[in-house]
Amino acid sequence: MADITDRRSERYAAEHSSPEPQHLVELSALTIESSPSHRMMVGRLEGRFLKMLVAISRAHSVLEIGTFTGYSALSMAEALPATGRLVTCELDERHASIAQKAIDASPYRDRIEIRRGPALETIALLPGPFDLAFIDADKGSYGAYYEAVLPKMSSGGLICVDNVLWSGRVVEDGTDETDPDTTAIKAFNDLVASDPRVECVMVPIRDGVTLIRPR
Ligand SMILES: C[S@@+](CC[C@H](N)C(=O)[O-])C[C@H]1O[C@@H](n2cnc3c(N)ncnc32)[C@H](O)[C@@H]1O
């Protein structure tokens, strides 16, 4: 993944944000050490951003699509009240097992539930409503996740979508239009920006996060 913001500015922003708790320092180190795909993890700055969104929206019920090793789920769970709940969807058994271990070893084990299997099937079984949803799984399904989640949001709920700048490929002239993920993200971004059902703002943090509120 290429950097959207200057790397030194990104590091400076992280260093001038509240620190991550020790269990996330350890999970981050384990993920970097054990997974070649570790850059999928939202990391310190976006993790603090997600926690802040849960806190200021006073979310009680959170849905995450794309658990990986559990970093973003654990970041958001920090801001949930004791009775709050976060359901996170993961297809890959190995990722789900690593995440489950990290969740079990954290203070938030009672707030987070991993649902294994294809996220669209899981979402169809969940009644909602969700105060906050974080979409961060396979990019080709972003449109389908958005349509599946939108009717399940509570009034005033917030949908957050990761990687909407896709390392800058969405704005590159002459981008290889055959890259299906770039094509899917561009189509998704166009859909949301012109969707009269919602208002949205794209925030260029890390790989880009769009915040969406149903009207
Ligand atoms: C970008 S990673 C998520 C990163 C995570 N939010 C974090 O910050 O650590 C995407 C995850 O979605 C999972 N995934 C891909 N397709 C999926 C599907 N159809 N249903 C559920 N999970 C899926 C992948 O296995 C991967 O673990």
Side-chain angles (χ1 to χ4, degrees):
M1 185 197 295
D3 298 307
I4 297 300
T5 46
D6 166 69
R7 193 170 284 194
R8 287 183 313 155
S9 304
E10 181 97 2
R11 193 180 318 123
Y12 184 84
E15 286 167 1
H16 291 79
S17 300
S18 301
E20 10 162 50
Q22 187 55 30
H23 62 273
L24 286 184
V25 174
E26 287 164 18
L27 177 59
S28 180
L30 172 81
T31 304
I32 291 167
E33 187 186 291
S34 62
S35 172
S37 312
H38 61 83
R39 294 207 71 182
M40 295 202 301
M41 174 176 66
V42 294
R44 175 171 164 186
L45 182 62
E46 190 180 341
R48 294 302 89 192
F49 181 66
L50 291 171
K51 178 190 172 188
M52 184 69 83
L53 291 177
V54 173
I56 61 181
S57 64
R58 298 181 193 277
H60 192 276
S61 168
V62 175
L63 171 67
E64 175 178 70
I65 305 173
T67 315
F68 190 36
T69 59
Y71 189 99
S72 47
L74 281 163
S75 300
M76 292 188 282
E78 271 180 66
L80 282 175
T83 53
R85 290 291 172 266
L86 184 151
V87 174
T88 180
C89 308
E90 179 54 57
L91 183 64
D92 185 298
E93 275 298 326
R94 208 176 69 86
H95 294 170
S97 305
I98 296 170
Q100 191 62 64
K101 265 194 204 137
I103 290 163
D104 288 345
S106 81
Y108 306 106
R109 67 188 75 85
D110 298 335
R111 284 173 221 181
I112 304 176
E113 181 192 350
I114 300 178
R115 292 285 192 104
R116 297 168 192 239
L120 279 173
E121 290 179 18
T122 302
I123 298 164
L125 299 173
L126 297 171
F130 298 104
D131 303 321
L132 189 144
F134 180 50
I135 299 178
D136 189 20
D138 50 314
K139 309 310 164 193
S141 302
Y142 267 23
Y145 292 140
Y146 175 64
E147 294 298 347
V149 158
L150 197 53
K152 301 203 174 192
M153 297 308 293
S154 58
S155 158
L158 180 67
I159 303 173
C160 312
V161 187
D162 203 17
N163 305 108
V164 290
L165 291 172
W166 204 227
S167 298
R169 289 195 285 274
V170 293
V171 292
E172 270 168 20
D173 281 339
T175 294
D176 180 1
E177 293 296 340
T178 59
D179 171 40
D181 285 341
T182 306
T183 305
I185 291 177
K186 284 171 83 169
F188 173 75
N189 290 341
D190 290 344
L191 165 78
V192 173
S194 62
D195 188 344
R197 297 172 296 175
V198 300
E199 60 177 321
C200 64
V201 57
M202 188 180 282
V203 184
I205 182 173
R206 203 179 72 105
D207 198 29
V209 178
T210 296
L211 307 182
I212 306 165
R213 272 179 66 130
R215 288 187 195 276

